[in-house]
């Protein structure tokens, strides 16, 4: 046995002994703990095998909300199941799941029946599922997170699309969301002019933020329905209703002042008929 082989062998034995001491070693397959697994066992074992991956999971959006078992199940060999859209939409439901399901990618995945046994690598699938983009190439953070910068998104999308097309689509999405941001900013300015304050139209402001999120989901998932029908026109409707609510409240607030202004003259006018009657 070479020096390298000897070192690897001792590392293997050491790992097996640590698993055995924890009561989770499998005598038939010492390289894999006995099934089923607990979350604690997953983290302990994979912290030895791939500490960087575990650290990435801890720091990512799932670290505090979803454990290994929630996505992968409690047995080995569950990678194909964890790659399917169903593994994600069980938690990411509502507008997130629906905007993707109605996107070009979502439709292609649904009718194309991808082979989820294939790794989530560049160009491996005909159409990307949730995990292909967000957990690309074993990324346990979020490859599509804006903090990663556009280069990561361009790389993921570039596995299937030409670089110029990718840049055009990303630029179009940024312009679309920028317009939506301006509409929400305008909505906040209009709400601030309400006589009772912006809290009086909080429900309408909440609606604008919901539809802004729809625009972002539509741009990210390439869903025309969420870019437009559930997004930009819905925001326009919010603005119309908001302006109307503020205008009506402003008119109503001005009515009492006009009545008070007219009331002093009402005294003499109403007294005149009584004086004539006394005569």
């Amino acid at each position: 046995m070479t020096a390298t082989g000897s070192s690897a062998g001792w590392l293997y034995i050491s790992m097996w002994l640590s698993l055995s001491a924890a009561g989770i070693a499998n005598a038939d397959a010492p390289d894999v703990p006995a099934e089923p697994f607990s979350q604690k066992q997953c983290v302990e074992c994979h912290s030895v095998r791939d500490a960087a991956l575990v650290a990435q999971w801890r720091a990512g959006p799932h670290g505090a909300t979803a454990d290994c078992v929630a996505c992968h199940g409690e047995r080995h060999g569950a990678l194909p199941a964890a790659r399917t859209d169903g593994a994600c939409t069980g938690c990411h439901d509502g507008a997130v799941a629906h905007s993707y399901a109605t996107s070009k990618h979502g439709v292609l995945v649904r009718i194309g029946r991808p082979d989820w046994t294939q790794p989530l690598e560049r160009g491996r699938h005909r159409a990307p599922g949730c995990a292909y983009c967000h957990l690309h190439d074993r990324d346990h953070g979020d490859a599509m997170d804006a903090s990663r910068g556009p280069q990561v998104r361009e790389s993921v999308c570039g596995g299937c699309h030409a670089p110029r097309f990718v840049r055009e689509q990303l630029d179009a999405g940024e312009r679309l969301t920028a317009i939506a941001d301006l509409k929400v900013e305008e909505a906040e300015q209009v709400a601030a002019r309400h006589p009772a304050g912006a809290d009086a139209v909080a429900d309408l402001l909440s609606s604008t933020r919901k539809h802004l999120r729809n625009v972002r989901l539509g741009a990210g998932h390439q869903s025309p329905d969420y870019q437009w029908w559930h997004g930009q026109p819905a925001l326009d409707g919010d603005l119309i209703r908001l302006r109307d609510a503020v205008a009506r409240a402003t008119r109503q607030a001005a009515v009492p002042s006009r009545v008070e202004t007219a009331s002093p003259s009402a005294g003499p006018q109403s007294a005149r008929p009584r004086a004539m009657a006394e005569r």
Side-chain angles (χ1 to χ4, degrees), residues 94-248:
V96 174
H98 191 242
S99 63
Y100 170 74
T102 56
S103 72
K104 301 169 185 176
H105 294 147
V107 171
L108 284 173
V109 166
R110 193 161 60 250
I111 66 177
R113 299 180 181 179
D115 179 6
W116 296 118
T117 63
Q118 298 296 315
L120 304 175
E121 298 172 347
R122 278 175 64 84
R124 178 78 68 167
H125 295 269
R126 179 177 176 232
C130 307
Y132 180 89
C133 291
H134 291 277
L135 305 175
H136 190 75
D137 196 16
R138 299 175 69 244
D139 188 323
H140 278 58
D142 181 1
M144 293 290 107
D145 190 279
S147 64
R148 300 288 189 91
Q151 295 83 4
V152 176
R153 293 195 295 275
E154 288 179 11
S155 174
V156 174
C157 298
C160 299
H161 299 292
R164 185 174 67 178
F165 178 80
V166 171
R167 287 193 297 270
E168 287 174 349
Q169 294 304 305
L170 292 177
D171 289 345
E174 288 182 3
R175 290 194 297 271
L176 198 67
T177 53
I179 292 171
D181 283 332
L182 288 174
K183 291 178 181 179
V184 173
E185 184 179 340
E186 182 181 353
E188 291 171 348
Q189 293 171 355
V190 172
R193 296 199 293 268
H194 195 287
D199 288 344
V201 285
D203 57 334
L204 289 172
L205 279 178
S206 177
S207 183
T208 63
R209 298 183 187 108
K210 168 189 170 184
H211 293 137
L212 169 62
R213 182 170 182 256
N214 285 351
V215 172
R216 289 175 175 161
L217 288 171
H221 288 159
Q222 289 290 292
S223 171
D225 275 358
Y226 275 75
Q227 290 174 356
W228 302 110
W229 182 247
H230 299 300
Q232 296 287 9
L235 269 172
D236 294 338
D238 291 333
L239 269 172
I240 291 171
R241 287 186 289 273
L242 192 55
R243 291 194 196 99
D244 183 60
V246 171
R248 282 188 287 107

Side-chain angles (χ1 to χ4, degrees), residues 59-82:
H62 291 141
T65 58
D67 56 25
C68 309
V69 174
C71 297
H72 292 281
E74 58 184 7
R75 299 184 181 277
H76 265 205
L79 279 176

Side-chain angles (χ1 to χ4, degrees), residues 1 3-21 25-33 45 48-49:
M1 183 179 288
T4 304
S6 177
S7 299
W10 280 112
L11 178 61
Y12 180 87
I13 293 171
S14 175
M15 183 186 298
W16 179 81
L17 288 174
S18 66
L19 292 172
S20 181
N26 187 331
D28 296 327
D31 189 46
V32 179
C45 184
V48 174
R49 293 168 181 264

